[in-house]
Amino acid sequence: MGQPSTSALKDRSTAVYIPALATRTACEYLILGPLEVRVGGETVALGGPRQRALLAALLLAGGAPVSRDRLVEDVWGEQAPASAQHAVQVYVSRLRERLGAAALYTGAGPVYAVAGERDQVDAHRFEALAAAARARLKQEPEAAAAQLAAALGLWRGAVLADLSYDGAGRTEIARLEELRLTAIEDRLEAELALGHHRERIPELEALVAAEPLRERARGQLMLALYRAGRQADALAAYREGRRHLIDELGLEPGGQLRALEQAILRQDPAIEDPRLRRRRNLPAPATALVGRETELAELGELLGGTARLVTLTGPGGSGKTRLAIGVADALGPRFADGTHFVDLSALRDPRLVGGTVAAALQLDEDTFADQIKDRHLLLVLDNFEQVDDAAPVVGRLLAAAPGLKVIATSRIRLDLYGEHEYPVAPLAPAEGADLFVARARARRRGFEPTAAVTEIVRRVEGLPLAIELVAARVGELDLEDMVAGLPVLDLAARGPRDAPERHRALRATIDWSHDLLDDDERTLFARAGVFAGGFDPDAAAAVAGASPARLDALVAHSLLRRHDERRTMLETIRERALEHLDASGEGDAVRRRHAEHFAAFAETSEDELKGPDQQAWGERVECDHDNLRAALAFSLGGGGDRVVGLRLAAALGWFWYTHGHGTEGVRRLEQAVAAAPPEAPALLRGRVTHVLGVLLSQRADLERADARFRAGLALFREAGDEQRAAGSLNSLAANARLRGALDESRQLFEQAIAMRRTIGDRKRLADPLSNLGVVLMDVGDLDGARERFEQSLEIDREFANEWGIALNLGNLGAVGLERGDPAQARPLLTDALRRLRALGDRSSILQGLDRAAALAAAEGEAIRAGRLAGASAANRVAMGEPLPDIEVAIVERHLAAAREHPGFAAAYVDGGRLSLDAALDEALDET
């Protein structure tokens, strides 16, 4: 029989059973209670205790193959008789007779496994139901409660209740029992959300008595008792739990349980029965509030404390009004005299605010301040930016009425004493997707989301109004058309006819803030639209002629957002800014300034990315990558200066090479080469051509890379730049090695070394020295290789080239691997990987993972070697960086022995599911 194609992951809940070798077996395996197997609906006799224990051990392995030695230990323990191994074969044969020949799998080793599908085991059906229910717990408690009841109904007792099982599967038994308790708690949470607190108190009391250290269950009991009017009993339950924790574990209760005790003591309305919360005088939204759980909690705590005026600020469409209503709804029971919503959007005269508020409270305008002085109420003042000069009215009301609290929504703060500003951020991706789906289903029943929903939410940057406007078009446009075809402002151009005019078009929503700006601020707003992904003060001054103070005016109107010194603009707002920019007639001039500024920035970064601060510079360039892309597109697209585009492309090559953007780099560099004007300096054309060769070589496109290197060499010689010509020789030599032409490669590297010594370029001498060391290692001259690596490392340390240091440490570790000395290789390879992670050089990390896999194989860790090798291979495919043949041969030679292990293939598949960062975590955690 062949080797198994899959194995259990560390998380046994995701294990995959080996497919049945013949037709699918009809067995149903029940382990949530006494062990039972049913075939065709009939219970099958499973034989004696040891035969049953063997089947239990295989089922607890989660579908993974189990060795015969481990089965012996699981079934007989440490005092196994000499006949035990033969007995395993006998038991497997007997079980096959009873369950069907295809029910059990035997592989080389020998190893054994249960064959079939996951849903044939009741434990896996339970887990699937419980996980699905948990995902619905917050939004659909009634459905979640029913699903959890069905999941728990699969339990017939303790796991394998009829066996005294003491094998390796005890860990799996404990995991399943813990999942059962978690599912019970999830069901109880759903029941409490539905208001069934009185009915669940007896069950919760029994659960807490059986599991006195489970804080979640105790918290549920406290909440149920409190909602049933038994505050003293709820606090007593807390004290009892605290005593258990201190006596048995020496620990105080966790933060959540302590917070619940305090909420009960102060009778916090936030923990009242959800059905009893009164809406009061608030508009009834046509749709439910989606997401915003963190904001609701934070604002509830703020207004539940000493804060009396909280202003929700943010751009138009960010959901300020809906959030304010949600907060007021949640806090309603706390205010004896009610919660009142006042819409100020129709006002333009600040003098009308007092009368509007009085009318909402059904009081006389002239005396209402005096009438509310003894009242305990909450006011929501919506759209205050339209009447910003009326802010003193709010101040006088707060001074007159100590029991008054105010939530204001505004594009700008009110600037009143004691005001707490709360910027309303866009929705998180998951919340944005939930909102889109909810609104789309209101438009078209049965709507099912695809990956396009996530992309749409990303494009509108989580802006709730934009999400709703786009979702409203589900009935007329396909999701893919929405993503591919229309600009965001056009896509979100129509809204419900009964919505305010400012909300019916996103342009109008943004213009509502824009119209509040003075002329200089409007000019700055338009110019700021040229920045993609944000900008710092230097860029703002150079491109838009803006000072930090002028930028802050846009921040105050929620048209810009501030993150430390950097400003960003929502993409939806940026599209409108660009429309204003183009209408102003200065669009091309501003874009040219933008391109010039970022070309200079890229040229500075090119050297800095190889210096002592290369990690920080890598982060800076990544932060402005969108600006650099925009500058390139404009410069090479015909509207700008193509020489500036060449400067940008040439300077960005090293960043693209080391930061995992090679595929994009090839595309943009090919565009730059094609667009290069004949009058452009030979040196500049040579730089673009050369760096294109580097990225093509990185992608194993060796023939095209050679052509680019030779063209670059000719241009450098035409320009009289010997230093760059030496670089071309170094690259041609590296490419020759990848083609397997080792003699040619060695000669070219020696030429490059000699040239750099002649011109006195010691800093760049490190590269060909290190590369020559690799060739020497290829031909078996390990002493020569080590000498070159050490020489190169000395130079890189002299010039603080962290990237070169990391590569040379990795190369020295590779020498240890070639010598068969993993103890020597381990610290060097680990140090190299950690340095590469800090640098963010994803390309070199792939090579580091290959070497980590080789190290694991050399140390006899075949499974770990398989996982790391699989992770490297999968991530190479994702990044478009295949291994050249010469490197494939090296990797395969190191992994040859590990591949013989029966679990290697499955581990390789498992590793292929790891992200690069997760694989790096695994490599470093294990070293």
Side-chain angles (χ1 to χ4, degrees):
M1 294 184 181
Q3 292 182 354
S5 60
T6 181
S7 69
L9 302 174
K10 287 184 177 179
D11 178 1
R12 302 305 294 272
S13 68
T14 60
V16 180
Y17 276 76
I18 296 170
L21 301 180
T23 58
R24 171 176 167 169
T25 176
C27 294
E28 180 185 7
Y29 300 101
L30 308 179
I31 64 173
L32 302 180
L35 177 62
E36 184 178 340
V37 180
R38 298 170 185 164
V39 177
E42 298 293 328
T43 300
V44 177
L46 297 175
R50 287 203 172 99
Q51 190 164 296
R52 294 167 64 83
L54 182 142
L55 178 59
L58 293 176
L59 289 168
L60 290 172
V66 182
S67 71
R68 182 169 59 192
D69 289 342
R70 197 185 110 183
L71 285 173
V72 168
E73 183 178 341
D74 282 358
V75 175
W76 282 273
E78 295 181 358
Q79 305 300 320
S83 60
Q85 293 203 354
H86 175 68
V88 167
Q89 294 175 295
V90 173
Y91 292 160
V92 169
S93 178
R94 289 175 180 171
L95 286 168
R96 281 194 177 127
E97 291 175 1
R98 296 165 188 256
L99 306 179
L104 298 180
Y105 163 88
T106 302
V111 295
Y112 304 91
V114 174
E117 304 294 335
R118 284 179 54 82
D119 62 2
Q120 291 175 242
V121 184
D122 60 350
H124 296 312
R125 294 201 303 278
F126 160 74
E127 289 190 64
L129 282 168
R134 168 163 277 201
R136 307 172 74 177
L137 197 55
K138 297 295 184 185
Q139 300 296 328
E140 303 174 80
E142 187 170 6
Q147 207 163 17
L148 286 161
L152 291 165
L154 295 172
W155 286 74
R156 299 166 294 115
V159 178
L160 300 174
D162 58 330
L163 294 175
S164 299
Y165 184 83
D166 198 29
R170 291 301 307 175
T171 301
E172 176 67 0
I173 291 175
R175 189 186 72 86
L176 288 169
E177 295 286 359
E178 173 62 25
L179 285 178
R180 179 190 190 187
L181 289 171
T182 300
I184 291 172
E185 291 171 338
D186 285 345
R187 180 179 57 77
L188 289 165
E189 181 177 326
E191 295 280 0
L192 292 177
L194 295 169
H196 303 161
H197 42 269
R198 293 183 185 276
E199 300 91 328
R200 293 292 159 252
I201 288 174
E203 182 180 357
L204 279 163
E205 287 175 333
L207 177 59
V208 167
E211 302 286 343
L213 302 180
R214 293 187 73 86
E215 294 193 36
R216 185 184 180 197
R218 188 170 295 276
Q220 291 172 332
L221 174 60
M222 292 165 59
L223 192 60
L225 289 167
Y226 175 73
R227 289 179 176 175
R230 297 167 57 182
Q231 181 179 4
D233 290 339
L235 294 171
Y238 172 81
R239 291 192 296 271
E240 181 188 26
R242 181 174 181 271
R243 178 178 58 78
H244 276 292
L245 287 165
I246 292 174
D247 289 350
E248 298 187 35
L249 301 179
L251 297 174
E252 287 284 346
Q256 287 188 328
L257 206 62
R258 295 198 306 271
L260 179 58
E261 182 215 18
Q262 292 301 309
I264 291 172
L265 284 169
R266 64 175 183 266
Q267 298 185 3
D268 191 336
I271 62 171
E272 289 183 1
D273 182 351
R275 299 173 305 172
L276 302 180
R277 296 179 187 169
R278 294 168 290 175
R279 185 171 300 281
R280 306 282 177 131
N281 299 295
L282 298 173
T287 55
L289 178 63
V290 177
R292 299 298 194 194
E293 293 177 358
T294 299
E295 291 90 337
L296 287 170
E298 291 176 348
L299 287 165
E301 182 176 357
L302 192 61
L303 286 159
T306 58
R308 297 186 58 214
L309 169 61
V310 176
T311 304
L312 309 186
T313 60
S318 60
K320 302 184 297 295
T321 299
R322 188 65 187 83
L323 177 59
I325 293 171
V327 174
D329 185 29
L331 295 177
R334 181 172 301 187
F335 294 91
D337 296 300
T339 303
H340 299 265
F341 181 87
V342 184
D343 184 5
L344 304 174
S345 62
L347 303 185
R348 292 297 181 272
D349 187 347
R351 292 171 296 182
L352 300 177
V353 170
T356 303
V357 173
L361 297 174
Q362 298 181 337
L363 299 173
D364 182 78
E365 179 180 355
D366 295 330
T367 60
F368 85 93
D370 185 66
Q371 290 175 298
I372 66 171
K373 66 180 181 180
D374 296 321
R375 295 194 183 187
H376 190 56
L377 55 83
L378 174 66
L379 276 181
V380 178
L381 304 179
D382 195 39
N383 297 302
F384 207 92
E385 69 275 1
Q386 294 299 306
V387 286
D388 183 50
D389 289 342
V393 173
V394 179
R396 289 194 293 271
L397 289 175
L398 290 167
L404 170 68
K405 295 199 175 187
V406 174
I407 301 173
T409 73
S410 177
R411 312 286 174 93
I412 55 177
R413 59 181 287 123
L414 275 59
D415 281 331
L416 292 175
Y417 179 78
E419 179 183 18
H420 293 260
E421 183 180 9
Y422 190 94
V424 178
L427 288 171
E431 292 180 337
D434 289 343
L435 177 61
F436 187 100
V437 171
R439 301 302 181 257
R441 285 177 177 165
R443 184 78 173 180
R444 190 178 77 195
R445 291 190 65 183
F447 169 79
E448 288 300 327
T450 69
V453 169
T454 302
E455 176 61 16
I456 290 169
V457 171
R458 185 195 67 77
R459 283 189 63 198
V460 302
E461 297 188 305
L463 199 65
L465 173 60
I467 292 171
E468 295 200 12
L469 292 174
V470 176
R473 305 192 69 180
V474 161
E476 60 187 276
L477 293 174
D478 291 331
L479 290 177
E480 287 68 22
D481 290 339
M482 289 182 180
V483 172
L486 294 174
V488 172
L489 290 175
D490 288 337
L491 194 62
R494 295 207 306 272
R497 285 181 292 179
D498 60 346
E501 181 61 33
R502 66 183 183 279
H503 284 187
R504 291 184 62 190
L506 197 53
R507 280 187 181 85
T509 304
I510 296 167
D511 285 347
W512 215 39
S513 287
H514 175 267
D515 292 346
L516 299 174
L517 304 177
D518 63 30
D519 289 343
D520 288 343
E521 289 166 348
R522 291 177 186 178
T523 298
L524 177 54
F525 171 69
R527 291 175 179 175
V530 77
F531 293 105
F535 53 93
D536 59 26
D538 290 343
V543 177
S547 67
R550 299 301 286 169
L551 292 173
D552 286 343
L554 298 185
V555 173
H557 285 82
S558 299
L559 293 170
L560 283 181
R561 300 162 71 192
R562 181 169 183 166
H563 304 278
D564 297 325
E565 291 303 307
R566 195 170 180 84
R567 273 73 167 181
T568 61
M569 184 181 283
L570 289 175
E571 189 62 24
T572 46
I573 295 176
R574 179 172 173 260
E575 284 190 29
R576 187 59 175 141
L578 286 173
E579 290 178 348
H580 284 294
L581 179 65
D582 290 332
S584 73
E586 65 170 2
D588 283 352
V590 174
R591 288 182 175 92
R592 280 193 290 271
R593 291 200 298 271
H594 178 270
E596 286 280 359
H597 173 79
F598 282 100
F601 169 75
E603 288 167 340
T604 301
S605 74
E606 186 178 16
D607 285 335
E608 295 291 350
L609 284 169
K610 300 174 185 177
D613 296 325
Q614 55 196 254
Q615 180 181 353
W617 270 91
E619 293 169 356
R620 286 187 64 180
V621 178
E622 196 72 70
C623 189
D624 269 313
H625 201 181
D626 285 338
N627 275 313
L628 294 160
R629 289 170 172 137
L632 262 172
F634 174 71
S635 299
L636 298 178
D641 186 337
R642 293 187 179 186
V643 171
V644 173
L646 294 182
R647 288 169 53 202
L648 275 159
L652 286 171
W654 184 249
F655 168 74
W656 285 327
Y657 177 80
T658 57
H659 283 70
H661 301 293
T663 300
E664 175 184 355
V666 167
R667 185 176 68 253
R668 295 188 182 278
L669 286 161
E670 286 177 335
Q671 181 187 6
V673 169
E679 66 273 14
L683 176 59
L684 184 55
R685 286 183 285 132
R687 291 178 60 207
V688 173
T689 302
H690 175 82
V691 76
L692 175 56
V694 171
L695 292 178
L696 288 169
S697 180
Q698 185 185 41
R699 274 146 185 72
D701 193 345
L702 304 182
E703 184 176 345
R704 292 177 64 207
D706 262 342
R708 293 300 180 186
F709 289 141
R710 295 189 189 284
L713 178 60
L715 287 166
F716 291 145
R717 284 177 170 161
E718 178 186 338
D721 192 324
E722 290 297 298
Q723 182 265 315
R724 294 191 185 278
S728 290
L729 288 174
N730 179 66
S731 295
L732 281 165
N735 225 41
R737 173 187 173 264
L738 296 179
R739 288 190 280 104
L742 298 183
D743 288 341
E744 177 189 350
S745 176
R746 182 170 183 169
Q747 291 171 10
L748 287 168
F749 278 134
E750 287 172 346
Q751 289 179 39
I753 290 169
M755 185 179 291
R756 285 193 166 162
R757 282 177 171 154
T758 298
I759 63 178
D761 189 4
R762 176 169 171 77
K763 179 178 181 180
R764 294 176 179 83
L765 180 61
D767 292 342
L769 277 172
S770 180
N771 290 335
L772 178 58
V774 174
V775 176
L776 294 175
M777 191 162 56
D778 289 336
V779 299
D781 183 0
L782 298 184
D783 290 336
R786 184 181 185 86
E787 180 182 354
R788 302 310 190 283
F789 294 146
E790 288 175 342
Q791 290 171 351
S792 179
L793 179 60
E794 179 184 353
I795 295 171
D796 283 327
R797 282 179 168 154
E798 177 184 339
F799 290 96
N801 182 1
E802 186 66 21
W803 182 80
I805 292 169
L807 291 195
N808 278 307
L809 289 171
N811 287 336
L812 287 167
V815 171
L817 288 175
E818 294 294 334
R819 292 189 188 281
D821 188 353
Q824 178 198 28
R826 172 177 286 277
L828 293 164
L829 296 177
T830 300
D831 193 2
L833 262 183
R834 286 180 176 148
R835 290 172 185 265
L836 290 170
R837 160 173 268 184
L839 292 171
D841 182 352
R842 300 175 73 81
S843 181
S844 297
I845 285 170
L846 291 173
Q847 183 185 55
L849 285 178
D850 287 327
R851 287 172 170 173
L855 176 64
E859 293 178 330
E861 297 280 348
I863 299 300
R864 183 165 169 264
R867 285 177 64 79
L868 294 174
S872 174
N875 280 281
R876 283 189 182 280
V877 172
M879 291 170 59
E881 296 184 22
L883 268 178
D885 290 344
I886 190 170
E887 297 290 348
V888 170
I890 294 170
V891 170
E892 288 305 308
R893 174 162 50 82
H894 283 293
L895 295 179
R899 284 192 181 278
E900 297 300 317
H901 190 283
F904 181 92
Y908 188 93
V909 173
D910 287 346
R913 300 186 181 102
L914 297 174
S915 68
L916 188 61
D917 289 337
L920 189 52
D921 284 340
E922 190 161 318
L924 291 174
D925 285 345
E926 296 292 333
T927 54

